[in-house]
Amino acid sequence: MKSAGHSADVERWARLLTTLDVLSDGRLGVAVGLRWMKQEYDIARNADWHRRGKMLDDMLAFLDAW
């Protein structure tokens, strides 16, 4: 897992979602899910398949604190 890249992705998403929320006057709703097909996940990210749940939990905690 490339933790530095993952952290940069999370911060980028936080900034993007914050901007969209402000532009929409607080009406932004976000849905998040895990990829279920390992081959698709391997192509999209070079990350550990078995840690994807923990990575999502960490990302959501960061976004919530943002």
Side-chain angles (χ1 to χ4, degrees):
M1 181 176 119
K2 297 179 181 177
S3 60
H6 179 68
S7 297
D9 289 345
V10 174
E11 185 174 338
R12 184 173 41 118
W13 276 108
R15 290 179 188 278
L16 174 70
L17 294 173
T18 300
T19 299
L20 291 172
D21 190 50
V22 169
L23 292 174
S24 70
D25 198 25
R27 296 183 309 247
L28 178 68
V30 178
V32 180
L34 287 174
R35 295 178 188 263
W36 63 271
M37 186 167 46
K38 186 175 183 325
Q39 294 81 5
E40 181 184 66
Y41 189 81
D42 290 343
I43 291 168
R45 307 188 63 78
N46 187 17
D48 183 4
W49 169 258
H50 300 288
R51 287 189 26 84
R52 70 190 193 286
K54 174 69 172 133
M55 290 169 57
L56 180 61
D57 289 344
D58 291 347
M59 182 180 90
L60 293 175
F62 179 86
L63 292 175
D64 188 44
W66 184 271

PDB file of all heavy atoms in Angstrom, residues 1-2 10 17 24 27 49-50 58 63 66:
ATOM      1  N   MET A   1       0.830  -1.182   0.000  1.00  0.00           N
ATOM      2  CA  MET A   1       0.000   0.000   0.000  1.00  0.00           C
ATOM      3  C   MET A   1       0.871   1.241   0.000  1.00  0.00           C
ATOM      4  O   MET A   1       1.856   1.325   0.703  1.00  0.00           O
ATOM      5  CB  MET A   1      -0.880  -0.018   1.248  1.00  0.00           C
ATOM      6  CG  MET A   1      -1.808   1.160   1.318  1.00  0.00           C
ATOM      7  SD  MET A   1      -2.895   1.004   2.749  1.00  0.00           S
ATOM      8  CE  MET A   1      -2.412   2.453   3.614  1.00  0.00           C
ATOM      9  N   LYS A   2       0.483   2.205  -0.780  1.00  0.00           N
ATOM     10  CA  LYS A   2       1.225   3.455  -0.845  1.00  0.00           C
ATOM     11  C   LYS A   2       0.522   4.477   0.035  1.00  0.00           C
ATOM     12  O   LYS A   2      -0.387   5.173  -0.392  1.00  0.00           O
ATOM     13  CB  LYS A   2       1.286   3.953  -2.287  1.00  0.00           C
ATOM     14  CG  LYS A   2       2.020   3.010  -3.206  1.00  0.00           C
ATOM     15  CD  LYS A   2       2.018   3.530  -4.608  1.00  0.00           C
ATOM     16  CE  LYS A   2       2.729   2.568  -5.513  1.00  0.00           C
ATOM     17  NZ  LYS A   2       2.705   2.987  -6.896  1.00  0.00           N
ATOM     18  N   VAL A  10      -7.141  11.180  -0.165  1.00  0.00           N
ATOM     19  CA  VAL A  10      -8.161  11.506   0.829  1.00  0.00           C
ATOM     20  C   VAL A  10      -8.262  13.019   1.001  1.00  0.00           C
ATOM     21  O   VAL A  10      -9.362  13.574   1.033  1.00  0.00           O
ATOM     22  CB  VAL A  10      -7.861  10.816   2.177  1.00  0.00           C
ATOM     23  CG1 VAL A  10      -8.836  11.274   3.245  1.00  0.00           C
ATOM     24  CG2 VAL A  10      -7.918   9.307   2.018  1.00  0.00           C
ATOM     25  N   LEU A  17     -15.074  17.684  -1.967  1.00  0.00           N
ATOM     26  CA  LEU A  17     -16.399  17.569  -1.361  1.00  0.00           C
ATOM     27  C   LEU A  17     -16.772  18.825  -0.580  1.00  0.00           C
ATOM     28  O   LEU A  17     -17.931  19.257  -0.604  1.00  0.00           O
ATOM     29  CB  LEU A  17     -16.466  16.330  -0.467  1.00  0.00           C
ATOM     30  CG  LEU A  17     -16.360  14.997  -1.203  1.00  0.00           C
ATOM     31  CD1 LEU A  17     -16.254  13.854  -0.205  1.00  0.00           C
ATOM     32  CD2 LEU A  17     -17.534  14.792  -2.140  1.00  0.00           C
ATOM     33  N   SER A  24     -23.166  24.167  -3.222  1.00  0.00           N
ATOM     34  CA  SER A  24     -24.556  23.695  -3.229  1.00  0.00           C
ATOM     35  C   SER A  24     -25.333  24.197  -2.004  1.00  0.00           C
ATOM     36  O   SER A  24     -26.448  23.757  -1.763  1.00  0.00           O
ATOM     37  CB  SER A  24     -24.609  22.173  -3.291  1.00  0.00           C
ATOM     38  OG  SER A  24     -24.153  21.612  -2.070  1.00  0.00           O
ATOM     39  N   ARG A  27     -26.192  21.302   0.490  1.00  0.00           N
ATOM     40  CA  ARG A  27     -27.114  20.244   0.058  1.00  0.00           C
ATOM     41  C   ARG A  27     -26.402  18.999  -0.479  1.00  0.00           C
ATOM     42  O   ARG A  27     -27.055  18.097  -0.996  1.00  0.00           O
ATOM     43  CB  ARG A  27     -28.049  20.786  -1.023  1.00  0.00           C
ATOM     44  CG  ARG A  27     -28.949  21.892  -0.523  1.00  0.00           C
ATOM     45  CD  ARG A  27     -29.903  22.327  -1.616  1.00  0.00           C
ATOM     46  NE  ARG A  27     -29.192  22.618  -2.842  1.00  0.00           N
ATOM     47  CZ  ARG A  27     -29.089  23.837  -3.372  1.00  0.00           C
ATOM     48  NH1 ARG A  27     -29.636  24.864  -2.796  1.00  0.00           N
ATOM     49  NH2 ARG A  27     -28.434  24.005  -4.498  1.00  0.00           N
ATOM     50  N   TRP A  49      -5.912  -5.522  -1.137  1.00  0.00           N
ATOM     51  CA  TRP A  49      -7.322  -5.909  -1.207  1.00  0.00           C
ATOM     52  C   TRP A  49      -7.899  -6.201   0.180  1.00  0.00           C
ATOM     53  O   TRP A  49      -9.019  -5.823   0.497  1.00  0.00           O
ATOM     54  CB  TRP A  49      -7.448  -7.128  -2.116  1.00  0.00           C
ATOM     55  CG  TRP A  49      -8.772  -7.815  -2.092  1.00  0.00           C
ATOM     56  CD1 TRP A  49      -9.079  -8.959  -1.446  1.00  0.00           C
ATOM     57  CD2 TRP A  49      -9.975  -7.386  -2.738  1.00  0.00           C
ATOM     58  NE1 TRP A  49     -10.391  -9.290  -1.661  1.00  0.00           N
ATOM     59  CE2 TRP A  49     -10.974  -8.341  -2.456  1.00  0.00           C
ATOM     60  CE3 TRP A  49     -10.300  -6.291  -3.534  1.00  0.00           C
ATOM     61  CZ2 TRP A  49     -12.261  -8.230  -2.931  1.00  0.00           C
ATOM     62  CZ3 TRP A  49     -11.593  -6.182  -4.011  1.00  0.00           C
ATOM     63  CH2 TRP A  49     -12.558  -7.145  -3.708  1.00  0.00           C
ATOM     64  N   HIS A  50      -7.131  -6.854   1.024  1.00  0.00           N
ATOM     65  CA  HIS A  50      -7.614  -7.281   2.338  1.00  0.00           C
ATOM     66  C   HIS A  50      -7.731  -6.121   3.337  1.00  0.00           C
ATOM     67  O   HIS A  50      -8.393  -6.262   4.356  1.00  0.00           O
ATOM     68  CB  HIS A  50      -6.723  -8.383   2.913  1.00  0.00           C
ATOM     69  CG  HIS A  50      -6.694  -9.592   2.036  1.00  0.00           C
ATOM     70  ND1 HIS A  50      -7.763 -10.453   1.918  1.00  0.00           N
ATOM     71  CD2 HIS A  50      -5.740 -10.070   1.202  1.00  0.00           C
ATOM     72  CE1 HIS A  50      -7.468 -11.411   1.052  1.00  0.00           C
ATOM     73  NE2 HIS A  50      -6.243 -11.202   0.614  1.00  0.00           N
ATOM     74  N   ASP A  58     -10.749   4.544   7.604  1.00  0.00           N
ATOM     75  CA  ASP A  58      -9.817   5.640   7.863  1.00  0.00           C
ATOM     76  C   ASP A  58     -10.182   6.867   7.035  1.00  0.00           C
ATOM     77  O   ASP A  58     -10.155   7.997   7.526  1.00  0.00           O
ATOM     78  CB  ASP A  58      -8.379   5.222   7.554  1.00  0.00           C
ATOM     79  CG  ASP A  58      -7.842   4.193   8.521  1.00  0.00           C
ATOM     80  OD1 ASP A  58      -8.468   3.967   9.582  1.00  0.00           O
ATOM     81  OD2 ASP A  58      -6.797   3.584   8.197  1.00  0.00           O
ATOM     82  N   LEU A  63     -12.598  12.324   6.575  1.00  0.00           N
ATOM     83  CA  LEU A  63     -13.574  13.218   5.956  1.00  0.00           C
ATOM     84  C   LEU A  63     -14.535  13.776   6.993  1.00  0.00           C
ATOM     85  O   LEU A  63     -14.926  14.949   6.935  1.00  0.00           O
ATOM     86  CB  LEU A  63     -14.333  12.501   4.851  1.00  0.00           C
ATOM     87  CG  LEU A  63     -13.524  12.119   3.612  1.00  0.00           C
ATOM     88  CD1 LEU A  63     -14.357  11.307   2.658  1.00  0.00           C
ATOM     89  CD2 LEU A  63     -12.962  13.367   2.918  1.00  0.00           C
ATOM     90  N   TRP A  66     -12.784  16.457   8.836  1.00  0.00           N
ATOM     91  CA  TRP A  66     -12.442  17.600   7.975  1.00  0.00           C
ATOM     92  C   TRP A  66     -13.472  18.671   8.166  1.00  0.00           C
ATOM     93  O   TRP A  66     -13.363  19.810   8.245  1.00  0.00           O
ATOM     94  CB  TRP A  66     -12.373  17.147   6.527  1.00  0.00           C
ATOM     95  CG  TRP A  66     -11.946  18.198   5.577  1.00  0.00           C
ATOM     96  CD1 TRP A  66     -12.758  19.084   4.916  1.00  0.00           C
ATOM     97  CD2 TRP A  66     -10.612  18.509   5.149  1.00  0.00           C
ATOM     98  NE1 TRP A  66     -12.009  19.892   4.119  1.00  0.00           N
ATOM     99  CE2 TRP A  66     -10.683  19.577   4.224  1.00  0.00           C
ATOM    100  CE3 TRP A  66      -9.371  17.990   5.456  1.00  0.00           C
ATOM    101  CZ2 TRP A  66      -9.568  20.128   3.612  1.00  0.00           C
ATOM    102  CZ3 TRP A  66      -8.261  18.526   4.834  1.00  0.00           C
ATOM    103  CH2 TRP A  66      -8.363  19.594   3.921  1.00  0.00           C
TER     104      TRP A  66
END
